[in-house]
C-alpha cells in the first residue's frame, strides 16, 4: 500500500469508528497537498509573484451523506485524537473551540457566503503534512475540506474559488493574516511542475520542472512561537511602506523608484520594501532556470533570495542560515553549482528548500546529516519530495 492509500484507509477507518461501522460507508475521497515555496517569499500579500509547488504530503477527506432530517456537518479529525465536531446548516455558522474546527466551520461559512448551499455530510479527515513545519498543513486541510464539501454538494468550483474559500476560513475563522499562495498551490498545482502565480490577479501557470532536477526539503525541526507575531508585523510594515510611496501595493514599485523615493522612510521599512521589490524581480528568472535545469542560475537567484530574507526582511534564524550555508557549500558555487538552496515559508525556523541536480540530492542529505550528527542538538531531517498535482478526488485501492 502506498502512502496515499494508507491515508485513505486511515480516513475510512476513522469514519467507520466515528459514525458507526454498520452505518453507511464514506462515498467519496478527496486529497489536497501541502506545498513548498521555491521563490517569491513574503510577496503574496504584496500582490507579487510566487513559485510554489505541491508536495507528496496530503490531507485526505472522506465524505458521506449526513442526516437530512437535521442537516448538519459532522466531522472527525483523526490526527487530533479523533476529536469531533458538529454544526447545523440551518443556523448561522459560528467559531468552534479549536483551530481545526474553525477551519472546517470557516470553509462551510465561506461557501455559504458565496451563495452556495451545502447538503448534510459526514467527514473524516486524516493527513501527513507535518504541522507547524511551514509546509502548509492548514492550507491543505482547508482546501481538502472545501473541495470535498463543494463536490459532495454537486458544486464544481474552480481552483481559484476553492483557494479563496480556504484563505477566507483562515483569515476570518482562525484569525491568521496569511496571503493566498499556500491555498492556490494546494488547489492548482500540476505534477512535476511549479506554479507561477500572480497574487494580484490570481492568474497562474504551471512551470514544468526539468526532469534532471530534484526537490529536497530540510526540516530544521525548529518551531518558533514568534511566527505569527513576526508575520503580522512584517505585513503591517509592508502596508506602511506602500503608503509612504503612495502605491496600492509594493508590487507597484521598481528598485529605482524605491531608492528615488526613500527620503523620510525609516531604514527598517526601506529594507523590508527592498526585500519585497527585489524578491518579485527574482521570480521569473527562477522560473526560467527551473524549466531549463540551469542549476548555476538557480543557485544564484535562490542565494540572493535567502540573503534578502536574512538581511532585509529578517525572518531567518542562525540555525536556518547555517543549514543554508552548509548545503550551499556542498552544492558548489558559481558555474559549477549543482543547485540552489534557501529558507522557505514564513520563516523564524521551519524548512529549507533545495532544488538540485538529481545527482546531488544525496550530497545535500549527507551534508545535513553530517552537520547534525556532529553537534546533534537540532534534529534536522532532509528528504527528496515529489512535485504533485493539486487537490483532486481520489479512488481508494481495493475495498479497504
Ligand atoms: C506563510 C503565509 C503565505 C506567505 C508565506 C511567506 O506561508 O501563509 O501566505 O505569505 O508565509 O511567503
Amino acid at each position: 500500500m502506498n502512502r496515499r492509500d494508507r491515508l485513505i484507509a486511515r480516513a475510512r477507518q476513522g469514519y467507520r469508528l466515528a459514525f458507526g461501522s454498520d452505518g453507511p460507508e464514506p462515498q467519496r475521497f478527496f486529497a489536497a497537498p501541502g506545498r513548498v515555496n521555491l521563490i517569491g517569499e513574503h510577496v503574496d500579500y504584496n500582490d507579487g509573484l510566487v513559485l510554489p509547488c505541491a508536495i507528496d504530503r496530503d490531507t485526505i477527506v472522506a465524505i458521506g451523506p449526513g442526516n437530512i432530517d437535521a442537516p448538519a456537518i459532522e466531522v472527525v479529525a483523526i490526527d487530533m485524537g479523533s476529536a469531533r465536531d458538529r454544526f447545523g446548516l440551518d443556523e448561522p455558522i459560528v467559531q468552534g473551540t479549536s483551530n481545526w474546527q474553525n477551519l472546517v466551520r470557516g470553509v462551510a461559512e465561506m461557501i455559504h457566503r458565496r451563495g452556495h448551499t451545502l447538503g448534510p455530510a459526514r467527514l473524516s479527515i486524516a493527513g501527513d503534512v507535518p504541522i507547524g513545519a511551514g509546509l502548509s498543513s492548514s492550507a491543505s486541510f482547508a482546501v481538502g475540506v472545501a473541495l470535498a464539501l463543494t463536490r459532495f454538494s454537486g458544486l464544481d468550483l474552480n481552483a481559484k474559488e476553492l483557494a479563496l474559500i480556504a484563505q477566507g476560513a483562515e483569515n476570518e475563522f482562525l484569525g491568521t493574516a496569511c496571503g493566498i499562495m499556500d491555498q492556490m498551490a494546494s488547489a492548482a498545482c500540476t505534477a512535476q511542475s511549479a506554479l507561477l502565480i500572480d497574487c494580484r490577479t490570481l492568474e497562474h501557470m504551471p512551470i514544468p520542472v526539468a526532469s534532471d532536477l530534484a526537490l529536497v526539503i530540510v526540516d530544521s525541526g525548529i518551531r518558533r512561537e514568534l511566527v505569527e507575531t513576526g508575520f503580522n508585523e512584517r505585513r503591517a510594515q509592508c502596508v506602511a511602506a506602500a503608503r509612504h510611496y503612495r502605491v496600492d501595493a509594493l508590487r507597484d514599485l521598481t528598485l529605482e523608484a524605491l531608492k528615488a523615493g526613500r527620503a523620510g522612510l525609516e531604514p527598517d521599512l526601506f529594507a523590508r520594501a527592498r526585500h519585497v521589490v527585489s524578491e518579485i524581480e527574482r521570480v521569473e528568472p527562477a522560473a526560467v532556470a527551473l524549466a531549463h535545469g540551469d542549476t548555476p542560475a538557480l543557485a544564484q537567484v535562490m542565494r540572493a533570495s535567502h540573503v534578502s530574507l536574512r538581511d532585509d526582511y529578517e525572518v531567518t534564524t542562525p540555525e536556518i542560515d547555517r543549514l543554508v550555508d552548509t548545503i550551499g557549500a556542498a552544492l558548489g558555487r558559481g558555474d559549477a553549482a549543482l543547485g540552489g538552496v534557501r529558507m522557505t515559508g514564513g520563516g523564524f525556523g521551519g524548512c529549507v528548500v533545495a532544488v538540485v541536480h538529481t545527482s546531488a540530492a544525496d550530497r545535500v542529505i549527507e551534508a545535513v546529516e553530517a552537520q547534525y550528527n556532529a553537534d546533534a542538538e537540532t534534529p534536522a531531517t532532509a528528504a527528496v519530495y515529489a512535485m504533485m498535482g493539486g487537490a483532486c478526488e481520489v479512488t481508494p485501492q481495493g475495498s479497504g
Side-chain angles (χ1 to χ4, degrees), residues 57-292:
R57 298 290 184 276
D58 293 296
T59 299
I60 298 286
V61 183
I63 189 163
N67 181 354
I68 2 174
D69 298 328
I73 303 291
E74 296 165 77
V75 199
V76 57
I78 311 299
D79 306 315
M80 303 295 158
S82 293
R84 306 275 294 266
D85 191 25
R86 179 183 189 284
F87 53 94
L89 289 168
D90 288 343
E91 54 212 62
I93 300 174
V94 295
Q95 279 172 304
T97 52
S98 65
N99 285 348
W100 76 263
Q101 290 182 353
N102 285 333
L103 279 176
V104 180
R105 288 166 175 243
V107 163
E109 171 64 11
M110 296 305 142
I111 294 169
H112 280 170
R113 281 199 208 164
R114 293 175 88 84
H116 306 299
T117 306
L118 289 177
R122 290 172 164 165
L123 280 68
S124 164
I125 308 171
D128 65 355
V129 185
I131 293 171
L135 299 176
S136 292
S137 58
S138 62
S140 102
F141 187 100
V143 168
V145 170
L147 181 68
L149 283 178
T150 51
R151 288 286 182 81
F152 197 68
S153 292
L155 304 164
D156 190 15
L157 304 192
N158 64 27
K160 183 170 142 180
E161 291 171 301
L162 291 171
L164 286 168
I165 286 166
Q167 185 202 22
E170 286 209 40
N171 289 167
E172 292 193 38
F173 270 59
L174 217 57
T176 50
C178 64
I180 191 69
M181 167 172 75
D182 308 343
Q183 296 77 7
M184 279 296 292
S186 184
C189 274
T190 307
Q192 254 318 109
S193 306
L195 191 70
L196 180 62
I197 309 167
D198 182 329
C199 297
R200 172 162 270 170
T201 61
L202 297 191
E203 278 168 25
H204 50 92
M205 74 185 246
I207 305 291
V209 174
S211 58
D212 56 356
L213 291 182
L215 177 67
V216 186
I217 301 176
V218 184
D219 183 350
S220 68
I222 306 164
R223 309 280 184 264
R224 285 280 155 91
E225 292 301 312
L226 214 70
V227 176
E228 212 158 304
T229 328
F231 188 89
N232 292 342
E233 187 191 68
R234 297 300 181 283
R235 268 201 91 145
Q237 289 174 322
C238 290
V239 170
R243 201 178 303 129
H244 168 88
Y245 286 98
R246 298 177 196 280
V247 290
D248 288 341
L250 293 177
R251 163 76 178 273
D252 297 315
L253 291 174
T254 59
L255 278 174
E256 292 68 39
L258 192 78
K259 284 178 200 144
R262 173 175 190 167
L265 184 65
E266 285 170 35
D268 61 336
L269 291 198
F270 176 75
R272 304 293 187 251
R274 183 167 55 191
H275 164 71
V276 172
V277 175
S278 65
E279 181 76 354
I280 293 171
E281 289 187 0
R282 284 185 280 270
V283 175
E284 279 171 332
V288 172
L290 205 59
H292 292 152

